[in-house]
Amino acid sequence: MSIIMRGTDVAKSMKEELCKEVEDLKKSGIIPCLSIIRVGARPDDLSYERGAVKRMELTGIECRVTKLSQDVSQEEFEQTFLRLNEDPSVHGILLLRPLPKTLDEESLQAMIDPKKDVDGMSPVNMAKIFSGDETGFAPCTAQAVMEMLRYYGIGLKGKKVTIVGRSMVVGRPLAMRLLREHATITVCHTQTENLAMECRNAQILVAAAGKPKMITADMVSDGAVVIDVGINMDDAGSLCGDVDYEAVKHKVSYISPVPGGVGSVTSSVLAKHVVKSAQKI
Ligand code: NDP
């Protein structure tokens, strides 16, 4: 029987410690604060924002949302961004992405104060993740996968891990985090030859491609640990992951569902990063 890796259980276990840390900060006169910047009103952004706001509330972290119109100019955006960057009462800034094509996302990534970059998008934090420096913030989703593995006591040392997806938000930073824990990593992408074989070779398989149910039962080895990062809509319009959950779940030792898996841990990681940033002040 496989064990279902429930994100809500992981989030619950993180909450206790976080609440205590927030309390300690408040006792010393610091109110940890996250500032979210949203451009327009994309349903994905609104959904992520709701989850983040709720999580901050539950942990006692102040959360401010700055809403900008879809046609905001680069100059106006930068002014807002710099104001938050310099505001000492703000400990973390979350930029809901992707931004409209009219804005230069890359230059904004470089502009964020690395100490407030709680979703690990700045080149400074990326460099830290790639050099194995613990003081950097990893993108929350990549870190959420690590929290899930830790909570369920999945050993990583010497384990064969395959990650499907090489984005800067999930696949690559996750590979670096896992490497730090002495796993042996294979990172796959659209040009990978024989993806099924690379997946079957894995003791731990992480799917982060954004393709509904692309990981089928024949691509997974018996007893593997399967973590599904994907958030997609299936043909019936229901939320689903990159893994064909119903077909795969009987074969594996652990599996994370969608919804209710990694996505439920991401906002807890965000809260953890805001607290870490506030503690450094
Ligand atoms: P990107 O589109 O940026 O990257 C997708 C990666 O998957 C690319 O490296 C791409 O390869 C690879 N890929 C796509 N299709 C295939 C395929 N058929 N075979 C092999 N590799 C493939 O996506 P993100 O990394 O931003 O997100 C991935 C998924 O995770 C999405 O479903 C997204 O919604 C979800 N997500 C979930 C979050 C959460 O909190 N749970 C947060 C962020 C994302 P190539 O590089 O060659 O193009």
Side-chain angles (χ1 to χ4, degrees):
M1 256 262 296
S2 57
I3 292 175
I4 312 300
M5 305 170 93
R6 298 203 185 279
T8 42
D9 290 346
V10 183
K12 204 168 142 199
S13 82
M14 291 171 73
K15 186 178 161 223
E16 238 170 75
E17 198 184 330
L18 272 171
C19 286
K20 192 181 170 306
E21 285 177 328
V22 169
E23 230 171 80
D24 289 347
L25 278 166
K26 286 183 176 170
K27 274 184 203 151
S28 59
I30 299 166
I31 300 168
C33 173
L34 170 70
S35 199
I36 299 175
I37 308 178
R38 167 164 53 82
V39 179
R42 284 184 25 204
D44 284 7
D45 287 348
L46 291 172
S47 155
Y48 192 67
E49 180 184 306
R50 269 194 304 276
V53 169
K54 191 171 161 208
R55 178 60 54 194
M56 298 312 132
E57 254 172 40
L58 286 171
T59 31
I61 295 171
E62 189 184 335
C63 188
R64 303 174 194 162
V65 180
T66 304
K67 300 166 196 165
L68 298 171
S69 73
Q70 184 70 22
D71 57 4
V72 62
S73 68
Q74 180 80 14
E75 196 188 352
E76 193 188 334
F77 192 101
E78 285 182 7
Q79 276 168 7
T80 307
F81 198 58
L82 287 175
R83 190 170 41 75
L84 297 172
N85 236 4
E86 284 158 16
D87 182 343
S89 70
V90 172
H91 304 99
I93 300 173
L94 174 69
L95 192 53
L96 296 179
R97 293 177 290 161
L99 293 172
K101 294 273 176 281
T102 45
L103 295 173
D104 179 358
E105 193 169 314
E106 215 171 299
S107 75
L108 293 164
Q109 282 173 221
M111 207 183 273
I112 191 168
D113 179 347
K115 294 192 289 301
K116 296 186 179 186
D117 176 27
V118 285
D119 198 21
M121 67 175 189
S122 79
V124 172
N125 278 311
M126 273 298 164
K128 284 187 174 183
I129 299 308
F130 279 70
S131 67
D133 180 342
E134 269 283 286
T135 64
F137 290 118
C140 294
T141 306
Q143 191 59 36
V145 173
M146 298 303 290
E147 295 289 345
M148 285 201 100
L149 290 165
R150 190 165 65 97
Y151 177 82
Y152 284 96
I154 312 290
L156 293 169
K157 196 172 173 182
K159 292 284 166 60
K160 280 188 268 185
V161 183
T162 295
I163 303 170
V164 184
R166 59 175 163 181
S167 76
M168 291 299 275
V169 181
V170 192
R172 289 182 206 219
L174 177 60
M176 292 304 117
R177 280 296 198 227
L178 289 163
L179 203 52
R180 234 183 125 261
E181 301 299 323
H182 313 293
T184 302
I185 323 293
T186 302
V187 181
C188 300
H189 44 80
T190 53
Q191 308 305 308
T192 298
E193 285 180 9
N194 208 341
L195 179 69
M197 186 196 73
E198 299 296 351
C199 292
R200 269 195 306 271
N201 272 343
Q203 292 165 291
I204 300 170
L205 175 63
V206 182
K211 293 285 173 289
K213 302 183 187 180
M214 68 168 280
I215 305 292
T216 47
D218 60 307
M219 296 170 78
V220 176
S221 66
D222 288 336
V225 174
V226 176
I227 300 203
D228 194 350
V229 180
I231 301 176
N232 316 294
M233 287 292 175
D234 65 14
D235 294 339
S238 306
L239 211 58
C240 74
D242 288 355
V243 177
D244 186 352
Y245 182 80
E246 288 305 322
V248 167
K249 72 177 181 193
H250 309 288
K251 254 189 119 170
V252 297
S253 55
Y254 291 84
I255 185 165
S256 73
V258 178
V262 177
S264 317
V265 184
T266 309
S267 59
S268 297
V269 171
L270 182 63
K272 192 172 170 171
H273 287 177
V274 176
V275 168
K276 189 172 155 186
S277 169
Q279 283 168 337
K280 281 188 192 156
I281 286 172

